[in-house]
Amino acid sequence: MTAPVEHPPRLYRPRQAVRVRAVDLPGQGSDAHADAGLVDISEAVQTIIKVVEREGFSDYVIAGHGLGGTIALQAATELPAAPKRVMLLAGIVPANRRAPAAAYPPLARCALKACKVLGSLIGRDVQAPRSLVSGYVCRGLDPMQRVETVGHLGPLPIRMLTQPVALNLDALPCPVTYIVLRGDRLIWPSQQRAMAARIPDATVIELEASHQAATQKPRELAELLLAAQ
């Protein structure tokens, strides 16, 4: 949350330190050499499970942003030691047997299909067009924040976005908090509220921020995440 001043980032408040681990999913971050387009959701879930087990987490919260929300919900049901809460930041909660990409607006879905076809033709990962990233992902960011965001984005996780998902939301082992981003253009606020309503007894909080809330309003988001501790 405090990058680039501090690496790795920390969430903190006076007299209370909170250990945070940002998980690099397969094909992303430190694993960017792998083919992100072929990674499925089960592989991403196993990555989270391995991090939790390696770190010895027992009293912890999982936070998922966008597609990460789908992964976080699935991981919560498979972890040996369940989290005490799942926090979803504009998290995608697919309807039964629907793909996560169904949560995107029509133009974004069309662009994703085009990237999928192009990737299969050229045999390698494809990144989203910069114009699409700027218009949907970077809304509300200043010019420098836009440049940084575009520079950090890697290839699209096409398989994860397009594979049908069946989440057993009635079997979640912990409460869920859903943070609606009111300025999000990639996942519209109305869509976020509808997805939050699929989760039994979910707590819904609204934040005046775009899809990249961690860049646009890091302190406000940090306080919301800390409130779950």
Side-chain angles (χ1 to χ4, degrees):
M1 293 295 176
T2 57
V5 176
E6 199 170 32
H7 290 285
R10 290 182 298 163
L11 298 180
Y12 65 90
R13 56 184 164 194
R15 298 181 300 280
Q16 181 179 7
V18 178
R19 191 157 49 118
V20 180
R21 289 292 177 268
V23 180
D24 282 336
L25 297 178
Q28 305 289 334
S30 61
D31 192 46
H33 62 279
D35 192 340
L38 297 180
V39 176
D40 64 20
I41 288 176
S42 63
E43 292 177 77
V45 168
Q46 287 304 310
T47 299
I48 292 177
I49 292 174
K50 288 176 183 177
V51 170
V52 170
E53 292 177 339
R54 183 177 66 245
E55 298 286 342
F57 289 144
S58 58
D59 181 19
Y60 66 101
V61 171
I62 295 180
H65 177 217
L67 175 62
T70 308
I71 298 165
L73 289 170
Q74 184 63 40
T77 64
E78 296 186 23
L79 281 157
K84 68 178 183 181
R85 181 172 294 273
V86 171
M87 301 285 291
L88 302 181
L89 181 64
I92 298 178
V93 186
N96 193 37
R97 297 294 176 185
R98 295 293 302 277
Y104 291 163
L107 182 58
R109 294 200 301 270
C110 289
L112 180 62
K113 288 179 182 178
C115 289
K116 183 177 182 179
V117 171
L118 179 60
S120 65
L121 290 174
I122 64 177
R124 60 180 175 83
D125 289 341
V126 176
Q127 290 187 308
R130 291 199 173 196
S131 58
L132 196 72
V133 172
S134 181
Y136 283 95
V137 179
C138 297
R139 183 190 183 210
L141 303 184
D142 64 37
M144 182 55 69
Q145 290 172 331
R146 284 175 181 255
V147 171
E148 292 173 347
T149 298
V150 171
H152 285 135
L153 291 177
L156 288 167
I158 290 176
R159 188 174 180 185
M160 284 197 285
L161 285 168
T162 58
Q163 71 179 110
V165 177
L167 295 173
N168 188 358
L169 299 176
D170 292 323
L172 289 172
C174 62
V176 176
T177 296
Y178 196 108
I179 303 175
V180 174
L181 301 179
R182 291 177 181 164
D184 197 333
R185 287 193 64 191
L186 182 62
I187 307 173
W188 292 335
S190 58
Q191 177 76 305
Q192 294 176 54
R193 296 183 189 105
M195 291 190 293
R198 294 174 185 155
I199 304 171
D201 302 317
T203 299
V204 179
I205 301 171
E206 304 215 355
L207 178 63
E208 199 64 54
S210 67
H211 189 71
Q212 291 297 325
T215 299
Q216 187 185 24
K217 295 191 175 181
R219 186 169 295 278
E220 293 91 333
L221 178 57
E223 288 301 321
L224 289 177
L225 296 176
L226 280 170
Q229 303 301 318

